[in-house]
Amino acid sequence: MLQQVNGHNPGSDGQAREYLGEDLQEFLDGEVLLYQLDDLTRVNPVTLETVLRCLQARYMADRFYTNAGCTLVALNPFKPIPQLYSSELMREYHAAPQPQKLKPHVFTVGEQTYRNVKSLIEPVNQSIVVSGESGAGKTWTSRCLMKFYAVVAPSPASWETHKIAERIEQRILNSNPVMEAFGNACTLRNNNSSRFGKFIQLQLNRAQQMTGAAVQTYLLEKTRVACQASSERNFHIFYQICKGASEDERLQWHLPEGAAFSWLPNPERSLEEDCFEVTREAMLHLGIDTPTQNNIFKVLAGLLHLGNIQFAASEDEAQPCQPMDDAKCSVRTAALLLGLPEDVLLETVQIRTIRAGRQQQVFRKPCPQTECDTRRDCLAKLIYSRLFDWLVSVINSSICADTDSWTTFIGLLDVYGFESFPDNSLEQLCINYANEKLQQHFVAHYLRAQQEEYAVEGLEWSFVNYQDNQACLDLIEGSPISICSLINEECRLNRPSSAAQLQTRIETALAGSPCLGHNKLSREPSFIVVHYAGPVRYHTAGLVEKNKDPVPPELTSLLQQSQDSLLMGLFPTNPKEKTQKEPSGQSRAPVLTVVSKFKASLEQLLQVLHSTTPHYIRCIKPNSQGQAQTFLQEEVLSQLEACGLVETIHISAAGFPIRISHQNFLERYKLLRRLRPHTSSGPHSPYPAKGLPEWCPHSEEATLEPLIQDILHTLPVLTQAAATPGDSAEAMPAPMHCGRTKVFITDSMLELLECGRTQVLEQCARCIQGGWRRHRHREQERQRRAAMLIQAAIRSWLTRKHIQRLHAAATVIKHAWQKWRIRMAYLAAKELDGVEEKHFSQAPCSLSTSPLQTRFLEAIIRLWPLGLVLANTAMGVGSFQRKLVVWACLQLPRSSPRSYTVQTAQQDQAGVTSIRALPQGSIKFHCRKSPLRYADICPEPSPYSITGFNQILLERHRLIHM
């Protein structure tokens, strides 16, 4: 059973009121903590007084955003707060896991819509309806949302694509100042009031990147160009060119300093919106070059001069009215700036062309003074409306993406707020009619449709009373008779319109409507419509003429003769669509009136809104003076009553704003079955009802598929995981209900399901990551081992090759050394043996030197290592030759033989026994060891020979003295 809302026993009304009064007093006693309530659904009891006091407390504490269930309430601070809309704060809301837990903000709504697009829950397309009175901050809210999407939308990885995305986002943002300059004006209630409605479609691709946008406008208040109420101003762009033009531009546009224009009231007021350079720079970024801009501003200056043309009444009706003396200069200047012939311009305004008869004979009739003024104003309105439509088309061509490049969109609807002025006409009727339709859309989506759907789906529900505005809409647009139908009928009748007659027809035909009233004390013909936001009195004077919005064909023909390049494009000579001609006789066709066109565009807009997931932002104006820190309870209370905020809070607190079909629910949340405890006997066995919360489905309520039952049985696990210590399951509200075809959930339950889904996806991601890491580790280990084997094989092969080269080199050296040793020994032995045999008998015992001895010593010196070998041999060389060899090898002086002694061995001993220098002592040979591996190894060494230069010749004990 769901929690009952406003349900009570009729027999206990007094007791209920007593309890309500006690609760109200108890709630208001804690007013110090009221500013901490971020959501008005936590207010208990929910009444207009408690909601009003809570909003006032938050407003005085500089907390301007408050949740009201499915709606965000935005209070206009009337002061700049830069830190509240910084880019860092935008990224903080975008990066938050649960933005709903942050402070209420317009960025929360923006992030929620963006995540809904990413989640692909039907309907995927989103829309944000920004509503409120004029001056409540709707335009600023829409501007902040556009900046938010431009900041948080992910940028492409490619640098070139990133630059393109930045250019698109900048163009979308630059469309704001241009449209505000040409479509906004200062009114009694708002300094920057939108005088047109716009629906901005932000286009996103499959990666949720902003690829473009499209702007659709509704009902520009073009009458403001030629008619402004007291204390109001014209469109901002006229004041911008008059205040921001340079001296050269003033000369070109004929705008001298301090010039007065009748269509430019209150020029002394300086507003923030009068910045001309911002508009020019934005137009430049949108692709409107400087010459085109100058041409646009020249045409606007021509309209200002056109407004200064005043006509004097003609005494003769057959003669046209002539302009006043001080207006002739304005005629010349206006014709020059608009590129029109002066005489043709004046004649077209003065004389009306009439076609009559079957032969369409042309008659020219001079216009009276009032009609001249009307034709002049019609010319200005025609030019400005065409110029505004052209600007919108240029903006769309600059920012709109191709149809194939985007798949989803987020729509921002910024329409004029509910208006009620002392003098209300057709513009206010259309504006308030649009607000009635938007209020009905809200009621149909969140109130009436929910309650009807609950009954169809079998939900137990205590219905909440809400304010339905269907009666007011039937009065305005109903069939067969309504205010719009009566006004259109007056336009089709070929007779002069009468304000009093129209009032009588409306009061007579619609007398049974509860939303129609009349003021008997009013002297002017009028009627009263009781809107959802309050009663508004509309004057019938001029209502039919504005609805006709007649454009005389001669005015269009005049503008087609213009030599100005801009006007030539706005009014082509051979347009594709034929201009509307005055119907005559029985060929009269239904006239397409302003009300008919506005109604058709509004129906098209509502079809788009019905196909999206809507989000609502209610802008509240704390006071009508625009003062900061001023909260007028009476004005705010009327706005709360008008928008039905209390009923919205009731429905949001106890209802299910989110509805998902069974199929979509299964496709998105079937992953949650992984969280179910594995205690059932089968894969789809439902759990017993015992121990489950009261919001689980019962068999008598609905027969659900086994997969949905499995998903629902995971909810206790999710609830226990999300519950804080101290919370009890019984105290939890009913967060979910399964109907016959849909699943109904609250925002908190959707958040819980999304968290569970994210948890399962994270687990799956961790499993995938773990498997991938194991696979990658095994692959890396296998590759490392293979690399090690390859490296070991290469090292082994290189080592073998190196050893083989070393062995080959050692073998070559050994063979060369053996050959050289044998050859040298052979040569030395041969030479010494020949000398000994020839001269041995003649050799003296003295040490005198002969030529032969000298040659012998020189030969030994050349081969001194061989000499040491020969001197150390035991056989083949006598003592004399040995002495000669030793002297020659050691280069001992032969002149003083007493300075040394040489001892040799006996004949039966081999080698040099010792060599001593008498003054110095023993002489020993030391050589550094060679780094070569086989340098000290002699092949087949002899124990009696010198084995190498590192060998030390040791002394022997048995000496022979020479």
Side-chain angles (χ1 to χ4, degrees):
M1 175 69 71
L2 300 177
Q3 181 182 356
Q4 303 231 342
V5 180
N6 286 353
H8 57 271
N9 190 345
S12 59
D13 290 342
Q15 185 178 2
R17 283 193 297 268
E18 182 180 354
Y19 289 154
L20 180 62
E22 294 178 358
D23 295 341
L24 179 61
Q25 189 62 37
E26 181 180 356
F27 176 79
L28 295 179
D29 288 342
E31 189 173 355
V32 181
L33 303 178
L34 290 181
Y35 69 93
Q36 298 180 357
L37 296 177
D38 293 337
D39 197 333
L40 295 178
T41 57
R42 297 166 55 190
V43 174
N44 189 18
V46 179
T47 62
L48 279 173
E49 185 176 359
T50 56
V51 171
L52 182 66
R53 296 288 288 273
C54 184
L55 290 176
Q56 183 177 9
R58 291 181 61 80
Y59 182 78
M60 302 310 294
D62 286 347
R63 300 189 178 187
F64 306 107
Y65 293 101
T66 308
N67 290 325
C70 56
T71 305
L72 178 69
V73 178
L75 296 169
N76 194 338
F78 290 120
K79 62 180 180 180
I81 311 176
Q83 67 276 8
L84 193 60
Y85 306 99
S86 61
S87 300
E88 293 76 12
L89 191 61
M90 297 179 186
R91 296 187 180 92
E92 179 182 352
Y93 276 83
H94 179 62
Q98 298 178 354
Q100 293 80 7
K101 293 188 176 181
L102 299 178
K103 294 181 179 180
H105 203 286
V106 65
F107 299 154
T108 308
V109 180
E111 181 61 22
Q112 183 179 359
T113 56
Y114 187 73
R115 295 191 182 188
N116 287 355
V117 171
K118 295 178 66 176
S119 66
L120 300 179
I121 297 179
E122 292 293 338
V124 179
N125 297 326
Q126 309 289 309
S127 62
I128 301 177
V129 180
V130 184
S131 60
E133 289 189 0
S134 179
K138 301 185 301 299
T139 301
W140 173 259
T141 301
S142 301
R143 190 188 308 170
C144 291
L145 286 171
M146 293 181 65
K147 290 182 179 179
F148 175 79
Y149 291 122
V151 169
V152 305
S155 300
S158 172
W159 174 255
E160 183 177 354
T161 312
H162 176 71
K163 282 296 183 184
I164 296 175
E166 280 189 347
R167 185 168 66 250
I168 293 174
E169 294 168 0
Q170 190 60 38
R171 285 181 177 180
I172 293 174
L173 295 178
N174 284 327
S175 65
N176 265 336
V178 176
M179 300 194 71
E180 289 182 12
F182 285 85
N184 290 19
C186 176
T187 63
L188 293 175
R189 293 190 169 189
N190 186 7
N191 291 338
N192 190 30
S193 177
S194 298
R195 307 319 301 164
F196 70 103
K198 63 176 179 289
F199 181 71
I200 304 174
Q201 189 182 67
L202 304 178
Q203 301 160 347
L204 306 175
N205 59 12
R206 295 185 182 276
Q208 287 77 48
Q209 299 168 355
M210 192 183 301
T211 60
V215 180
Q216 185 176 0
T217 59
Y218 305 95
L219 191 66
L220 174 69
E221 190 188 13
K222 56 185 178 182
T223 56
R224 184 170 291 270
V225 176
C227 181
Q228 305 83 30
S230 177
S231 301
E232 291 191 356
R233 301 203 317 174
N234 209 325
F235 291 105
H236 293 323
I237 188 62
F238 292 104
Y239 299 90
Q240 290 180 4
I241 62 176
C242 290
K243 295 181 180 181
S246 61
E247 293 297 331
D248 295 339
E249 292 171 342
R250 289 182 182 277
L251 292 177
Q252 295 177 7
W253 303 337
H254 297 273
L255 296 175
E257 191 77 29
F261 298 97
S262 59
W263 287 353
L264 204 68
N266 304 312
E268 68 282 354
R269 295 185 59 181
S270 297
L271 301 179
E272 182 183 356
E273 291 75 20
D274 293 342
C275 186
F276 189 42
E277 292 300 325
V278 174
T279 304
R280 301 202 67 163
E281 185 177 357
M283 295 176 69
L284 195 62
H285 285 120
L286 290 173
I288 305 175
D289 54 11
T290 303
T292 306
Q293 292 182 25
N294 294 333
N295 203 356
I296 293 173
F297 303 140
K298 183 183 70 173
V299 171
L300 294 178
L303 296 184
L304 291 178
H305 286 281
L306 186 65
N308 282 351
I309 301 177
Q310 303 294 331
F311 292 92
S314 177
E315 297 179 357
D316 187 3
E317 294 182 356
Q319 298 297 325
C321 298
Q322 298 297 325
M324 295 183 178
D325 295 337
D326 55 351
K328 294 181 180 180
C329 180
S330 298
V331 175
R332 184 168 51 254
T333 305
L336 177 65
L337 294 175
L338 297 177
L340 297 172
E342 180 181 352
D343 54 346
V344 178
L345 171 63
L346 190 58
E347 181 181 352
T348 305
V349 176
Q350 291 173 329
I351 300 176
R352 179 162 59 110
T353 302
I354 303 175
R355 297 178 181 271
R358 293 183 178 181
Q359 288 76 22
Q360 293 291 304
Q361 296 180 356
V362 179
F363 299 94
R364 297 167 59 87
K365 179 182 179 180
C367 300
Q369 178 187 4
T370 56
E371 189 173 352
C372 289
D373 295 338
T374 302
R375 293 171 70 87
R376 175 203 60 198
D377 297 348
C378 182
L379 181 64
K381 292 187 292 183
L382 178 61
I383 295 175
Y384 194 83
S385 62
R386 289 283 184 95
L387 177 60
F388 185 81
D389 293 339
W390 177 81
L391 279 174
V392 174
S393 64
V394 170
I395 291 174
N396 283 330
S397 63
S398 176
I399 65 178
C400 188
D402 296 334
T403 308
D404 299 335
S405 63
W406 61 277
T407 56
T408 57
F409 69 86
I410 299 176
L412 301 178
L413 180 60
D414 176 18
V415 295
Y416 10 61
F418 183 83
E419 293 185 351
S420 177
F421 300 114
D423 187 7
N424 301 289
S425 187
L426 184 67
E427 295 82 9
Q428 284 69 39
L429 179 62
C430 292
I431 289 172
N432 295 336
Y433 167 53
N435 281 271
E436 290 283 354
K437 295 290 288 186
L438 292 177
Q439 176 66 14
Q440 186 194 41
H441 176 264
F442 174 78
V443 170
H445 182 77
Y446 273 108
L447 304 179
R448 181 173 59 196
Q450 281 195 15
Q451 298 191 153
E452 293 177 356
E453 193 171 12
Y454 294 162
V456 172
E457 292 289 335
L459 276 72
E460 298 182 7
W461 178 258
S462 294
F463 293 97
V464 177
N465 295 325
Y466 56 87
Q467 182 181 1
D468 194 356
N469 64 338
Q470 186 60 46
C472 183
L473 286 174
D474 292 339
L475 173 65
I476 298 175
E477 64 168 4
S479 179
I481 300 177
S482 62
I483 294 177
C484 292
S485 65
L486 292 175
I487 296 176
N488 289 334
E489 185 178 351
E490 285 291 330
C491 295
R492 289 191 294 267
L493 296 176
N494 190 14
R495 66 182 184 185
S497 60
S498 171
Q501 187 177 2
L502 178 60
Q503 175 189 0
T504 303
R505 289 197 63 189
I506 292 176
E507 291 179 350
T508 303
L510 302 173
S513 176
C515 296
L516 180 66
H518 57 278
N519 187 3
K520 297 181 179 181
L521 300 179
S522 176
R523 297 181 180 179
E524 300 177 356
S526 62
F527 60 92
I528 298 176
V529 177
V530 182
H531 293 280
Y532 76 96
V536 178
R537 185 165 65 99
Y538 299 97
H539 295 278
T540 57
L543 204 62
V544 176
E545 287 75 12
K546 289 183 178 180
N547 189 35
K548 287 181 180 179
D549 193 21
V551 178
E554 54 267 27
L555 294 183
T556 306
S557 301
L558 169 67
L559 294 174
Q560 290 175 353
Q561 302 176 21
S562 174
Q563 301 301 316
D564 184 80
S565 59
L566 178 62
L567 292 179
M568 291 172 63
L570 297 179
F571 300 92
T573 306
N574 297 317
K576 296 181 180 179
E577 297 181 359
K578 296 181 179 180
T579 58
Q580 180 182 352
K581 297 182 180 180
E582 292 185 357
S584 62
Q586 297 180 355
S587 63
R588 182 180 294 114
V591 180
L592 189 60
T593 61
V594 173
V595 171
S596 300
K597 292 187 290 185
F598 181 73
K599 183 179 179 181
S601 61
L602 193 58
E603 290 295 335
Q604 183 181 4
L605 171 64
L606 290 173
Q607 289 180 1
V608 175
L609 293 181
H610 282 299
S611 65
T612 62
T613 300
H615 305 264
Y616 292 91
I617 299 178
R618 296 287 192 181
C619 297
I620 302 296
K621 184 167 59 174
N623 60 84
S624 58
Q625 292 77 26
Q627 298 178 357
Q629 294 294 316
T630 302
F631 191 93
L632 300 181
Q633 293 186 358
E634 295 78 7
E635 296 185 10
V636 177
L637 185 62
S638 63
Q639 299 176 61
L640 295 180
E641 292 176 342
C643 66
L645 190 62
V646 174
E647 293 83 358
T648 303
I649 297 173
H650 280 308
I651 295 293
S652 301
F656 301 102
I658 301 173
R659 303 174 297 278
I660 307 175
S661 65
H662 286 173
Q663 182 180 359
N664 293 337
F665 185 81
L666 286 174
E667 290 178 356
R668 182 161 185 81
Y669 298 112
K670 61 184 178 181
L671 294 174
L672 297 179
R673 291 183 299 155
R674 296 173 177 266
L675 299 177
R676 189 187 64 177
H678 298 283
T679 58
S680 61
S681 58
H684 303 298
S685 300
Y687 289 92
K690 182 178 180 180
L692 292 179
E694 60 179 7
W695 36 265
C696 284
H698 300 282
S699 59
E700 62 271 9
E701 290 182 349
T703 303
L704 301 179
E705 297 179 1
L707 292 178
I708 297 183
Q709 294 185 18
D710 291 346
I711 296 175
L712 295 180
H713 284 294
T714 62
L715 296 181
V717 180
L718 296 175
T719 305
Q720 293 174 3
T724 57
D727 292 344
S728 60
E730 293 78 12
M732 293 181 59
M736 185 172 182
H737 188 90
C738 294
R740 296 184 177 91
T741 60
K742 297 181 181 179
V743 179
F744 296 82
I745 57 179
T746 60
D747 292 326
S748 59
M749 178 51 64
L750 178 64
E751 181 181 344
L752 192 63
L753 290 173
E754 289 294 326
C755 290
R757 185 175 183 271
T758 304
Q759 179 182 352
V760 174
L761 291 177
E762 289 178 354
Q763 292 177 359
C764 296
R766 283 194 292 269
C767 292
I768 295 174
Q769 289 175 355
W772 166 248
R773 291 193 185 101
R774 287 193 298 269
H775 170 73
R776 187 176 60 179
H777 179 72
R778 287 194 297 266
E779 288 294 323
Q780 290 178 352
E781 186 66 20
R782 186 181 61 81
Q783 294 176 3
R784 187 181 65 83
R785 291 180 180 178
M788 291 177 62
L789 292 176
I790 294 174
Q791 291 176 0
I794 293 175
R795 284 196 299 266
S796 177
W797 181 80
L798 292 176
T799 303
R800 287 197 302 272
K801 286 293 183 181
H802 182 67
I803 293 175
Q804 290 175 3
R805 287 196 300 270
L806 291 179
H807 278 288
T811 302
V812 172
I813 294 174
K814 181 178 72 174
H815 291 168
W817 163 249
Q818 289 176 352
K819 292 179 181 179
W820 180 82
R821 178 188 175 193
I822 293 172
R823 182 172 179 79
M824 291 297 104
Y826 170 75
L827 293 175
K830 182 178 180 181
E831 183 177 1
L832 290 177
D833 289 344
V835 173
E836 183 178 3
E837 291 176 357
K838 185 176 181 180
H839 299 285
F840 181 76
S841 59
Q842 301 177 4
C845 297
S846 64
L847 298 175
S848 60
T849 306
S850 62
L852 181 60
Q853 182 180 0
T854 303
R855 290 197 305 273
F856 179 71
L857 291 176
E858 291 176 356
I860 293 176
I861 289 172
R862 287 196 299 272
L863 302 172
W864 64 269
L866 184 61
L868 292 178
V869 176
L870 295 176
N872 197 32
T873 58
M875 300 300 294
V877 181
S879 300
F880 175 70
Q881 285 82 0
R882 290 182 180 178
K883 292 178 182 179
L884 292 177
V885 170
V886 172
W887 288 338
C889 291
L890 300 178
Q891 296 183 0
L892 299 176
R894 295 185 296 276
S895 60
S896 56
R898 295 185 180 275
S899 60
Y900 54 87
T901 59
V902 178
Q903 297 179 355
T904 59
Q906 298 292 337
Q907 290 295 330
D908 57 347
Q909 294 180 352
V912 178
T913 303
S914 68
I915 300 176
R916 295 179 180 270
L918 294 181
Q920 293 85 3
S922 301
I923 297 177
K924 301 181 180 181
F925 294 93
H926 298 273
C927 293
R928 181 177 299 174
K929 186 176 182 179
S930 174
L932 297 178
R933 185 173 182 181
Y934 302 100
D936 296 335
I937 300 175
C938 180
E940 298 177 357
S942 173
Y944 303 103
S945 62
I946 300 175
T947 60
F949 297 112
N950 288 339
Q951 182 179 354
I952 299 176
L953 304 180
L954 301 178
E955 296 181 347
R956 295 189 177 182
H957 298 289
R958 292 189 298 174
L959 302 176
I960 299 178
H961 187 269
M962 293 183 63

